[in-house]
Amino acid sequence: MGTNGSVMLEPLRQGLPPVDPTAVSGSASCALPARFDAVRGARSFTRSTLSQWGLDNRFDDVSLVVSELVTNALRHALPDEARPSGEPEAAVRLHLMRWSTRLVCAVRDPSEDRPGGSFAPERTDENCDLESGRGLFLVDAYSDSWGWHPLAGRLTGKVVWALFMLQDPRSGV
């Protein structure tokens, strides 16, 4: 992971249980095109990365969460008329990071809006459509915790992350 990745994810690390940054046993990231078929690519990237890390048994839950986070990010990354002309296409990026007892999936998108849709506390008839916020209910149900933070500095947008606790290979727990 490059310098930008480390800087971008520093607030994410601050939101997680205390970890030694040098204890990260693996990290991988990929840029995703601003097209909804990128979700398939994100799942494929997740499958190959988890396989390399010996975490095939976690693929179903992690893949579902990655799919939801990427789909949500792409909703904000796809070009629309509201984007000022001349603004470059914003990148969506998927990061997977592994420690001995945890795995984090983080997705960066160009929107600075709080994630949530109908997952946000205020539910109204207007935002109770079938799609809005349903994905974050799944993220909440299948991960051990999740959160988000706005990016700072030269990077704009936000990162939405999900944490999965892993069995500690040393303890057998």
Side-chain angles (χ1 to χ4, degrees):
M1 186 181 318
T3 305
N4 277 352
S6 298
V7 171
M8 180 185 80
L9 295 174
E10 189 56 38
L12 181 145
R13 289 189 188 103
Q14 293 168 8
L16 295 175
V19 294
D20 177 359
T22 61
V24 174
S25 57
S27 67
S29 70
C30 69
L32 299 168
R35 299 187 315 264
F36 283 112
D37 63 354
V39 175
R40 186 179 329 114
R43 280 194 302 264
S44 176
F45 173 78
T46 300
R47 180 181 295 281
S48 64
T49 301
L50 293 182
S51 180
Q52 290 171 8
W53 292 345
L55 297 173
D56 296 292
N57 63 326
R58 297 306 304 264
F59 175 73
D60 290 340
D61 291 351
V62 174
S63 175
L64 181 127
V65 167
V66 163
S67 295
E68 295 299 335
L69 294 180
V70 169
T71 297
N72 201 37
L74 288 170
R75 287 203 169 119
H76 301 290
L78 293 172
D80 60 44
E81 299 75 39
R83 184 171 290 165
S85 61
E87 182 180 329
E89 185 174 314
V92 170
R93 192 154 194 94
L94 168 62
H95 296 269
L96 299 174
M97 293 159 288
R98 177 184 181 214
W99 288 263
S100 62
T101 59
R102 60 183 60 92
L103 171 72
V104 171
C105 306
V107 176
R108 182 184 105 181
D109 74 56
S111 171
E112 296 181 357
D113 294 338
R114 177 179 190 265
S118 60
F119 193 75
E122 316 82 40
R123 284 186 67 118
T124 67
D125 288 340
E126 284 181 53
N127 69 8
C128 282
D129 61 72
L130 289 176
E131 295 301 317
S132 180
R134 182 180 67 186
L136 290 177
F137 279 114
L138 294 173
V139 169
D140 190 56
Y142 284 87
S143 66
D144 290 294
S145 65
W146 72 277
W148 74 283
H149 65 84
L151 297 173
R154 293 180 298 141
L155 297 169
T156 59
K158 69 176 171 297
V159 169
V160 182
W161 56 267
L163 170 71
F164 296 86
M165 297 308 292
L166 303 173
Q167 183 177 45
D168 187 341
R170 293 169 296 190
S171 71
V173 176

